[in-house]
Amino acid sequence: MRILCTNDDGIHAPGLKIIEQIAKELSDDVWVVAPELDQSGVSHSLSLNDPLRLREVGPRHYAVRGTPTDCVIMGARHILKDKQPDLVLSGVNKGRNVAEDVVYSGTIAGALEGTILGFPSVALSQEFSMETRHNPQWETALKFGPDVLRKVIKAGVPKNTVINVNFPACAADEVKGVVVTRQGKRNQGFLRVDERRDGRNNPYFWIGFERIVAAEAPLEGTDLAALAARYVSVTPLRLDRTDDVFSEALTKALA
């Protein structure tokens, strides 16, 4: 099995080494094509107005000055064009990708691009807590990642579905199990705009995240609830985002 690995944290990110270790539990034919620079939050952006620079950093390891989407396309269509990958893995992201994160995440986008190109694709992310922010518990992803992937592959991934895996922010021996979940929803107050001043007193801005003191309890069955309860969350996400229920109502309204 040929595996193509990418991420959005960049070619030198610790999580990329973790995804490669996980991949090597499944195959010895592993290739890494990742962004030259951190691309967190770029979503499914594609570089159309800038050239892509490709740099070989080692055997089967390449850096692309572009987005995760660019990396998967370059990997499949240029580097591996003679023998396409059988599986695309994106991650392991530093930080969870759940709820609304899936809209912004470059990690999810890398896996989505693999799905668009016709390859079974999985995004993997390691949640961290305030205490483990600078030292995520990668051993949790290492312990559970290979077996989760084996079972996902055995089950068969539908052509228009991407699998989103999130590991909880706890030690591997504290994980309670693996559950299939649906995408959750957060309190929308978590985003904020932080205004600052530069050396010439001109304003500039950072988009950041509020720490919610009393967050609402996540709904049962969601990715948020699973991580809070120390379960590995596995969420199948559909490429087709059509709202079938509202389509019926909208058809009647526009008739």
Side-chain angles (χ1 to χ4, degrees):
M1 179 169 58
R2 172 163 284 192
I3 302 176
L4 173 61
C5 298
T6 193
N7 73 350
D8 71 350
D9 289 331
I11 190 69
H12 299 298
L16 189 63
K17 295 181 177 65
I18 302 301
I19 200 73
E20 187 176 2
Q21 286 180 253
I22 291 172
K24 286 182 176 178
E25 291 287 321
L26 307 178
S27 172
D28 58 1
D29 191 5
V30 177
W31 296 72
V32 175
V33 184
E36 184 82 61
L37 306 172
D38 191 333
Q39 296 289 313
S40 298
V42 301
S43 188
H44 208 145
S45 57
L46 176 66
S47 297
L48 296 177
N49 297 313
D50 297 304
L52 298 178
R53 304 291 182 183
L54 179 67
R55 181 170 67 94
E56 186 172 2
V57 297
R60 299 184 181 181
H61 287 68
Y62 296 84
V64 176
R65 189 167 286 270
T67 68
T69 301
D70 297 329
C71 291
V72 174
I73 293 172
M74 287 291 289
R77 294 291 184 254
H78 178 70
I79 298 169
L80 303 179
K81 58 184 177 181
D82 295 329
K83 184 174 182 281
Q84 293 288 280
D86 301 295
L87 178 68
V88 173
L89 301 179
S90 185
V92 174
N93 189 66
K94 180 185 175 184
R96 65 187 186 178
N97 277 305
V98 294
E100 293 85 0
D101 296 340
V102 303
V103 178
Y104 305 112
S105 169
T107 302
I108 301 291
L112 278 172
E113 188 59 35
T115 300
I116 289 172
L117 295 177
F119 313 122
S121 301
V122 183
L124 301 97
S125 302
Q126 176 62 56
E127 182 186 41
F128 59 76
S129 63
M130 292 303 296
E131 293 74 24
T132 61
R133 180 179 182 85
H134 300 295
N135 188 27
Q137 293 174 304
W138 299 114
E139 70 276 4
T140 301
L142 275 174
K143 178 177 179 179
F144 289 92
D147 193 49
V148 168
L149 289 174
R150 289 188 190 99
K151 290 178 178 178
V152 166
I153 293 167
K154 184 177 180 180
V157 182
K159 285 189 175 296
N160 293 317
T161 298
V162 63
I163 306 300
N164 182 28
V165 179
N166 283 271
F167 304 99
C170 63
D173 59 4
E174 296 175 337
V175 174
K176 294 183 179 178
V178 180
V179 292
V180 176
T181 60
R182 66 181 187 276
Q183 183 182 344
K185 184 173 176 57
R186 285 196 193 88
N187 182 323
Q188 287 302 303
F190 74 102
L191 282 173
R192 64 178 170 82
V193 176
D194 186 9
E195 180 177 355
R196 302 183 187 182
R197 296 277 169 171
D198 65 17
R200 297 183 180 180
N201 203 37
N202 296 313
Y204 67 97
F205 305 88
W206 283 105
I207 292 178
F209 300 91
E210 296 282 3
R211 289 188 62 188
I212 301 173
V213 177
E216 298 175 1
L219 293 176
E220 286 299 316
T222 65
D223 44 20
L224 289 166
L227 292 182
R230 295 186 171 181
Y231 284 88
V232 177
S233 168
V234 181
T235 312
L237 302 173
R238 293 181 61 192
L239 194 62
D240 181 357
R241 300 182 182 181
T242 305
D243 187 333
D244 293 319
V245 175
F246 185 59
S247 289
E248 294 180 15
L250 192 59
T251 299
K252 295 176 181 178
L254 297 176

